[in-house]
Amino acid sequence: MRMLVERFQGVVFGLCHRMLGHREDAEDVAQDVFLRVFRSLQKWDSSRPFKPWLLTIAANRCRTALSKRKRLPKPTELQIHPSAGAAELESLGLSEELQLALGELRDDYKMCFVLFHQQELSCAEVAKIMQCPEGTVKTWLHRARRKLADSLIRRGVVTDAGFELHRI
Amino acid sequence: MRVSNCTEFEQRLREAIESRASVDEATFCAHAADCDDCRRQWEEYLLLSVAVAEWNSGQPEIDLADAILAQHAFRENEEYAIQPTSQDVETANIATSTRLESRPTVFLQTAKTASDQIHSSRQRYSALAVIASAALVLCSIATLFDPPTVQEQLAGKMPTTSHAVPNRNMTDDEAAGADVEALVRDAGSAYMGLARDAAEVFTDTVAFIPEQTLPTADPTNALGSNSDDSEQSTPWGQELEPIRRDVGQAIDFLFETISTEAEPTT
């Protein structure tokens, strides 16, 4: 069990952390994922790869956590108003800006983006985990990228990014 | 390879994103410089490429192994910590004994457990209900059969004569003759008994009547006797003499008749 946890905890925690955007919540959900994996390990088909099955459980637990969070009042300390000052925005890096923008996405778009870019899965693998057609995954992926880019541009990140683009 | 139009630009850019393939920047930039929409798409692509790369690099380190294993052990202990019921304990003891002890011992323990369980009130009431139901069923089965009538019972107790059943080897005429003969024998025996009974009754009756009630000569009243007095003193035997003679003749007739009919049987 320890070997199993040590081998896959980075994958599970990374997904939970990117989906939830909160470290402590991600740790709780990651623990819950492994406990459920231990409980239902006998249901796993050994002829299939283990990682997609594990990520399917993790994705479902993240959805459940997000749906529970929606019923709770939002924490005000992590909210950054769009009309915030430039000095406040400068304190956040591009990674944090992307994470904030990711939090504004629909859960389906968010899950699709995280599985594709953070877990580096193919569209077919994401489709299996999310239990939807591959074409739907591609559509969601491009819509998520478009919305994230719009959000970053709207928040003023595009100026710096545009400078970088010119350099690329 | 040069991109000819916006549709091809968008399609090739999407394919590059989905396959994570490297793109020919010069080709895309050449078309993006002439088209505002395609330029915007190209800038978004470059922006997200940089952002995602930085986003993925900032993955925090984590070690959840100890916490997960401790929580798993705690939950397992919680499940085992549930106190079993007394019945579960008995069942577990019996299950253990099946592995360690001999079969007769296990059987005795099982029987003891079963008897203890029977003494519970619910099972006791259940047993009574089963017994009552069984009794009701037996009564119902008994009423399905008609009880024999009094005539059938008496007929069953009446002695049967062996000769009343004709021999199967006989013909019909011979069988009919045998039946008539048996009937006559039975009738003769009945008449014989009746005649004997009647004879005894009449014999007793006659013996009870005074044998001679004739008047004797009174010496004192020999000379001056009164004829009326002699007529008033008529004897009882003289008056019953005709009846005795008729009955005797009837009895003699009966004896003669029966003796002649019953001779073949005797």
Side-chain angles (χ1 to χ4, degrees):
Chain A
M1 284 186 182
R2 176 174 289 276
M3 290 179 62
L4 183 84
V5 174
E6 287 177 348
R7 182 176 178 181
F8 291 101
Q9 64 179 352
V11 174
V12 173
F13 176 74
L15 175 63
C16 297
H17 186 238
R18 294 308 182 193
M19 282 295 294
L20 301 174
H22 194 269
R23 184 184 175 94
E24 284 72 23
D25 289 350
E27 288 180 3
D28 292 341
V29 173
Q31 290 184 24
D32 188 25
V33 168
F34 278 106
L35 292 174
R36 287 178 179 267
V37 166
F38 293 156
R39 211 182 309 166
S40 56
L41 198 58
Q42 54 193 1
K43 296 177 184 176
W44 170 56
D45 185 2
S46 58
S47 63
R48 294 184 176 183
F50 179 75
K51 187 179 176 182
W53 181 72
L54 176 67
L55 289 177
T56 303
I57 296 174
N60 290 331
R61 299 315 302 163
C62 288
R63 281 184 199 164
T64 305
L66 287 172
S67 63
K68 287 180 180 177
R69 182 188 288 179
K70 285 178 182 177
R71 293 194 291 267
L72 298 174
K74 292 182 178 179
T76 55
E77 58 182 358
L78 294 178
Q79 283 185 338
I80 300 173
H81 200 267
S83 61
E88 192 176 355
L89 288 174
E90 284 177 359
S91 63
L92 296 174
L94 191 59
S95 176
E96 289 79 8
E97 289 290 344
L98 183 61
Q99 184 65 45
L100 284 175
L102 196 63
E104 297 174 357
L105 289 181
R106 263 174 50 175
D107 291 345
D108 295 336
Y109 294 175
K110 191 191 305 180
M111 179 69 69
C112 185
F113 184 86
V114 171
L115 288 174
F116 183 83
H117 285 296
Q118 197 256 338
Q119 298 291 330
E120 296 182 346
L121 300 176
S122 66
C123 289
E125 291 171 336
V126 175
K128 285 183 180 178
I129 291 173
M130 297 187 70
Q131 298 172 353
C132 62
E134 186 177 349
T136 305
V137 168
K138 290 178 179 178
T139 302
W140 286 351
L141 176 64
H142 291 295
R143 287 181 183 173
R145 288 176 59 92
R146 183 72 178 268
K147 285 180 176 297
L148 288 173
D150 289 343
S151 176
L152 292 175
I153 292 170
R154 191 174 62 247
R155 292 174 60 84
V157 182
V158 72
T159 305
D160 296 334
F163 176 74
E164 296 292 333
L165 289 177
H166 288 296
R167 289 175 60 188
I168 293 173
Chain B
M1 194 173 80
R2 186 177 175 83
V3 178
S4 59
N5 52 30
C6 297
T7 306
E8 185 182 357
F9 179 90
E10 184 178 0
Q11 184 178 354
R12 289 177 65 178
L13 188 59
R14 281 178 172 252
E15 288 176 355
I17 293 171
E18 293 169 2
S19 62
R20 294 190 183 90
S22 60
V23 294
D24 186 4
E25 294 180 7
T27 305
F28 281 97
C29 284
H31 179 78
D34 299 333
C35 179
D36 291 340
D37 287 342
C38 293
R39 189 178 62 201
R40 187 185 56 82
Q41 290 183 34
W42 176 244
E43 288 177 350
E44 288 177 358
Y45 168 77
L46 294 178
L47 172 64
L48 285 178
S49 297
V50 174
V52 167
E54 190 174 334
W55 181 65
N56 280 331
S57 63
Q59 182 72 28
E61 295 293 327
I62 191 73
D63 186 11
L64 298 172
D66 293 335
I68 291 171
L69 294 177
Q71 199 168 353
H72 178 64
F74 176 74
R75 290 195 179 185
E76 279 192 339
N77 290 334
E78 233 180 9
E79 290 176 0
Y80 289 133
I82 299 173
Q83 291 297 327
T85 61
S86 59
Q87 270 190 339
D88 292 338
V89 171
E90 289 179 359
T91 308
N93 291 337
I94 292 171
T96 307
S97 66
T98 53
R99 293 190 297 269
L100 301 175
E101 300 178 8
S102 60
R103 283 178 180 271
T105 309
V106 173
F107 174 76
L108 288 175
Q109 288 184 355
T110 308
K112 183 179 181 302
T113 306
S115 65
D116 292 341
Q117 290 175 352
I118 285 173
H119 282 89
S120 66
S121 60
R122 179 181 295 179
Q123 290 176 344
R124 192 164 51 231
Y125 291 140
S126 300
L128 289 174
V130 168
I131 292 171
S133 302
L136 188 63
V137 168
L138 289 175
C139 291
S140 303
I141 292 172
T143 52
L144 290 176
F145 299 99
D146 292 332
T149 60
V150 177
Q151 287 81 6
E152 289 172 349
Q153 288 180 347
L154 291 176
K157 291 179 180 177
M158 290 292 283
T160 54
T161 53
S162 60
H163 53 270
V165 179
N167 191 354
R168 290 183 180 177
N169 296 328
M170 294 179 178
T171 61
D172 294 340
D173 295 338
E174 290 174 349
D179 291 340
V180 172
E181 185 180 355
L183 182 63
V184 169
R185 286 173 186 165
D186 292 340
S189 300
Y191 285 136
M192 186 69 119
L194 181 63
R196 285 176 181 167
D197 292 341
E200 289 176 358
V201 168
F202 281 109
T203 303
D204 295 339
T205 304
V206 171
F208 179 74
I209 297 172
E211 188 176 348
Q212 187 60 262
T213 57
L214 292 174
T216 55
D218 186 5
T220 62
N221 196 18
L223 293 174
S225 61
N226 194 354
S227 60
D228 294 334
D229 292 338
S230 62
E231 288 177 0
Q232 288 177 352
S233 60
T234 305
W236 285 95
Q238 191 176 359
E239 292 179 355
L240 292 175
E241 188 60 30
I243 299 171
R244 182 179 181 180
R245 190 170 51 247
D246 293 339
V247 171
Q249 289 176 353
I251 290 171
D252 293 339
F253 173 75
L254 281 174
F255 276 123
E256 290 176 358
T257 305
I258 291 168
S259 61
T260 54
E261 289 180 355
E263 270 180 1
T265 60
T266 54

